[in-house]
Amino acid sequence: AQSVTQLGSHVSVSEGALVLLRCNYSSSVPPYLFWYVQYPNQGLQLLLKYTTGATLVKGINGFEAEFKKSETSFHLTKPSAHMSDAAEYFCAVILRGGYQKVTFGTGTKLQVIP
Amino acid sequence: EAGVVQSPRYKIIEKKQPVAFWCNPISGHNTLYWYLQNLGQGPELLIRYENEEAVDDSQLPKDRFSAERLKGVDSTLKIQPAELGDSAVYLCASSSGRARGNEQFFGPGTRLTVL
């Protein structure tokens, strides 16, 4: 069975500081990996995904994530936080074997302090 | 291009009443998903459709929940009767093709409050 763990349900950073949101997965085979962002009262929007190829993935709004097989991690980073980045972020996985079931993490709420 | 449309956006009902949610996916997307999102949690899959066929409804509480996608386009999720614990956000998503790793596009959700 696959699972996703997001460390830290709440993260606070100062505007302009580095954003680091952690995601670890557990599955016997490296899955497809996703980061979604959810703004208040809105649905989820895809930030970036890793399916194959380069392990450093760049997404929208200046975010990027690196797939590290040895650490079973897919942490999300952004060099400089902006006030508009305040939202909830979800890591998600899809197994490569089997059908297309998405498993989401519990989410990390990012607060950006002026 | 229009995104995934859901209605209503908000619904308040008393327990034991029925409620229905509607979703219109992105045009051409053959895969449609209904998710339940509790406060402070990630979405959990309730049911997945490939065209008009429900291919995964293992997490759908079938004693009170039902769903349909009769023409393989829009879909309705129903709860009858609603319970207090059903208060949550119900998200609809769609994707194209069968390839794993395809992006799912989410609607804004319906926030249900059961009193």
Side-chain angles (χ1 to χ4, degrees):
Chain A
Q2 61 188 19
S3 69
V4 183
T5 302
Q6 290 185 241
L7 286 176
S9 58
H10 290 80
V11 170
S12 294
V13 300
S14 298
E15 190 175 16
L18 171 72
V19 176
L20 170 61
L21 304 182
R22 300 178 185 273
C23 173
N24 289 85
Y25 67 89
S26 65
S27 74
S28 56
V29 177
Y32 297 99
L33 296 153
F34 304 79
W35 275 100
Y36 283 86
V37 61
Q38 187 176 33
Y39 297 100
N41 298 316
Q42 294 187 28
L44 281 70
Q45 179 185 5
L46 183 68
L47 276 177
L48 49 81
K49 67 178 181 181
Y50 170 76
T51 55
T52 188
T55 56
L56 181 62
V57 181
K58 296 187 184 299
I60 62 172
N61 301 338
F63 284 92
E64 61 183 35
E66 186 171 11
F67 167 59
K68 291 187 176 180
K69 182 178 178 180
S70 60
E71 298 177 7
T72 62
S73 68
F74 192 56
H75 302 330
L76 182 71
T77 61
K78 182 174 180 177
S80 177
H82 191 273
M83 295 299 295
S84 62
D85 294 327
E88 190 154 19
Y89 293 80
F90 292 92
C91 183
V93 304
I94 298 178
L95 276 182
R96 292 180 186 267
Y99 73 88
Q100 192 177 353
K101 179 175 180 178
V102 182
T103 300
F104 286 87
T106 53
T108 298
K109 190 163 289 187
L110 177 65
Q111 179 185 21
V112 182
I113 303 168
Chain B
E1 176 183 284
V4 176
V5 179
Q6 290 188 248
S7 69
R9 290 294 313 276
Y10 305 90
K11 189 73 176 179
I12 301 174
I13 61 171
E14 294 188 348
K15 63 181 181 182
K16 300 185 181 180
Q17 294 300 306
V19 65
F21 315 124
W22 178 79
C23 172
N24 194 29
I26 292 173
S27 178
H29 281 192
N30 58 311
T31 307
L32 184 146
Y33 313 77
W34 282 103
Y35 288 92
L36 166 69
Q37 186 177 23
N38 287 304
L39 187 65
Q41 299 292 319
E44 298 173 23
L45 181 69
L46 287 172
I47 189 168
R48 177 173 71 103
Y49 282 93
E50 293 288 346
N51 299 304
E52 67 275 9
E53 182 182 2
V55 296
D56 182 4
D57 63 356
S58 57
Q59 302 301 312
L60 189 72
K62 298 181 183 64
D63 57 335
R64 297 184 300 109
F65 286 66
S66 64
E68 60 183 18
R69 193 186 185 198
L70 295 176
K71 296 183 179 179
V73 181
D74 58 342
S75 176
T76 303
L77 177 69
K78 298 178 181 178
I79 308 175
Q80 182 171 10
E83 298 179 351
L84 295 177
D86 296 331
S87 295
V89 175
Y90 292 83
L91 294 168
C92 179
S94 69
S95 65
S96 64
R98 289 179 176 268
R100 286 180 285 274
N102 276 1
E103 176 182 355
Q104 294 185 25
F105 293 82
F106 284 80
T110 296
R111 182 177 296 275
L112 173 67
T113 301
V114 182
L115 303 176

